[in-house]
Amino acid sequence: NGATNAGLVAVLLGHPGTGLLPSTHRTLLMSSIGGQLNTAYSGLGGGLHLTDLDGDGMDDVVAGAILYGSAQGRIAVFWGSTGSLTAGSFMFSESEMGGMVENYSAFGQILGSGDFDDDGTIELAVGLPSQKINGHDDAGVVFTADID
């Protein structure tokens, strides 16, 4: 969109027998999901993770917008589906995962996933190594959440 450090995620779609074709690329922006983060200094793509969060057999794209709001960060989830990555996509913040939002925490930079509670569904993990905990600077924290 021309905004400084707004960021984006470029995806090349693979096809059986032909592999990756530049003509099939998709560009993911925060505006793709109606977000407010299509602004300068949101840093979309500063963290990136692929996983099947909703259990539909298609990988979903989890992208951190790590510079958003004085580097407080946000996470965008782009649901995977046949030929598309944006249907029903959404974004969320650290406070929506139960955390206390801090400037310069870069929420969304460190991402992972797994079935952490052995319930058969994939959870998202977000690490914040510089998070202040109980008055201790840079103590760090990992949040996990069911995102489906």
Side-chain angles (χ1 to χ4, degrees):
N1 71 358
T4 303
N5 291 329
L8 61 81
V9 176
V11 178
L12 293 175
L13 302 178
H15 296 278
T18 58
L20 298 175
L21 300 174
S23 62
T24 64
H25 80 279
R26 302 288 187 269
T27 301
L28 305 178
L29 301 168
M30 294 311 285
S31 62
S32 302
I33 56 175
Q36 303 170 6
L37 302 181
N38 197 25
T39 60
Y41 302 103
S42 64
L44 180 67
L48 192 63
H49 186 68
L50 306 176
T51 190
D52 183 9
L53 286 172
D54 56 4
D56 66 356
M58 303 284 236
D59 279 340
D60 308 306
V61 176
V62 183
I66 64 170
L67 301 177
Y68 176 78
S70 297
Q72 294 168 357
R74 292 285 189 276
I75 293 176
V77 176
F78 298 90
W79 298 117
S81 61
T82 303
S84 177
L85 282 167
T86 59
S89 301
F90 69 99
M91 66 185 136
F92 59 96
S93 68
E94 181 179 347
S95 63
E96 293 169 302
M97 288 187 83
M100 178 181 282
V101 176
E102 292 183 6
N103 289 344
Y104 310 106
S105 66
F107 179 74
Q109 184 173 20
I110 301 172
L111 302 165
S113 63
D115 184 4
F116 304 123
D117 57 6
D118 199 29
D119 67 353
T121 61
I122 299 295
E123 289 82 40
L124 180 65
V126 182
L128 291 118
S130 61
Q131 185 78 14
K132 186 177 193 174
I133 304 292
N134 297 327
H136 300 283
D137 290 336
D138 300 326
V141 67
V142 175
F143 293 105
T144 61
D146 288 315
I147 309 292
D148 60 359

